[in-house]
Each structure stands twice: as C-alpha cells, then as structure tokens.
Amino acid sequence: MDYLDTLKSVSVIALILQFQKKHKAAKKIIRRVLEKRKKVLGKNYSETITIGSILALVLKHQRNKYKTAKKISQQAVEERKRVLGKNYFFTLVSISNLARAMQFQKKYKEAKDIIRQVLEKKERLLRKYYYNTLTSVYCLAYLLQS
C-alpha cells in the first residue's frame, strides 16, 4: 500500500465508511493511510496534512473522541500554516475544521470567533460570493443560533 494512487483510493474508502457511519472502520483505515503517507511523502507534505484533517473529521463524529479530534485539527492548522502559509486556502479549510471540532465540544464562542476570522480572510482572499466563502457564512449562522 505504498503507492500514492492506492493511498488515495483507500482514503476514499475511508470517507465512504465515514458517511455510512462506520466510524471505527474509517478511523482504522485513515490511520493506516496517514502512517503510509508520512513514510512515503513525509509529514510536511500537503496531502499528508490533509489525511490528518480527515482523521480529525472521522474522530469528531465518535463520542468521547472530540478532544483528540480538536488536537489533531490544531496540529493540521499549525502544519498548514508552516508549510503553506496562514492565508492559503487549505490552511483556512483546516482552521474551519478546527472550529467544527470545537463546536462538537460545545465551545461555541471559540468556534464562532474562529469562523469569523476565517470568513474575513476568505472574503478578502477569495470573493464574497465564492461557494467556499458562503459555506463559512452558513457555519457562522449555525453557530450564532447555538
């Protein structure tokens, strides 16, 4: 399982399992993919960091894994800032994922503050009506009602 195309395919399988609410199986697979990617590409490679973010996504949907999901999300944010820069699109995606992890921990104020910052950057860097910017608007609206 050391070839990149195979790793991508296995990552997709893990996401499918996640959507089917088979969280434990998804977690097991995505952890394997993450270790292989670190071995093949290195831990600072953008796609390796993406897999770390996916692992956090999988974990936040499991009860009692919220703190671990937050920790992994924070690591992904820091790695993306270091590797890609703080205003890069995928860095902003990782920051949004961190806010979602905080939302699952019922830390709504912190999550709102983070999403507001992401929204401001996306409006400045992308465009006000870009679909991903609008996703952040939706997330903020959801958090404001919480």
Side-chain angles (χ1 to χ4, degrees):
M1 196 166 79
D2 288 339
Y3 298 102
L4 295 179
D5 288 339
T6 304
L7 291 173
K8 284 181 183 179
S9 297
V10 173
S11 298
V12 171
I13 291 169
L15 287 173
I16 291 168
L17 289 169
Q18 171 67 19
F19 289 124
Q20 292 175 341
K21 300 190 186 302
K22 297 178 181 178
H23 306 301
K24 287 183 181 180
K27 180 178 78 172
K28 183 178 177 182
I29 289 171
I30 210 68
R31 281 190 190 275
R32 260 184 44 216
V33 170
L34 181 59
E35 290 309 311
K36 293 288 184 179
R37 280 194 176 273
K38 283 180 181 177
K39 180 180 168 190
V40 173
L41 298 171
K43 70 177 188 171
N44 293 328
Y45 191 74
S46 182
E47 288 187 30
T48 303
I49 299 168
T50 299
I51 296 300
S53 293
I54 292 171
L55 175 58
L57 173 72
V58 169
L59 289 171
K60 79 180 178 194
H61 287 286
Q62 294 183 16
R63 295 199 191 287
N64 304 319
K65 300 288 183 183
Y66 303 139
K67 287 182 182 179
T68 305
K70 179 183 170 191
K71 181 181 173 186
I72 292 171
S73 291
Q74 286 172 321
Q75 289 171 347
V77 167
E78 292 310 311
E79 290 171 7
R80 285 207 191 261
K81 282 181 180 178
R82 189 173 33 59
V83 173
L84 302 172
K86 67 180 182 176
N87 292 324
Y88 191 74
F89 175 76
F90 289 115
T91 304
L92 296 176
V93 170
S94 291
I95 295 169
S96 295
N97 290 342
L98 173 60
R100 294 277 294 149
M102 296 183 86
Q103 175 189 348
F104 275 82
Q105 288 185 299
K106 299 188 187 308
K107 295 183 177 182
Y108 299 118
K109 178 166 179 4
E110 294 97 326
K112 286 178 210 175
D113 293 343
I114 291 170
I115 288 294
R116 278 192 175 108
Q117 292 170 8
V118 168
L119 181 57
E120 287 171 11
K121 287 182 180 183
K122 283 184 178 178
E123 285 179 342
R124 195 172 61 246
L125 296 171
L126 300 172
R127 284 190 314 262
K128 199 171 192 171
Y129 300 107
Y130 183 66
Y131 80 93
N132 202 279
T133 305
L134 295 174
T135 300
S136 293
V137 171
Y138 170 79
C139 289
L140 180 59
Y142 182 84
L143 286 166
L144 287 172
Q145 77 175 9
S146 300

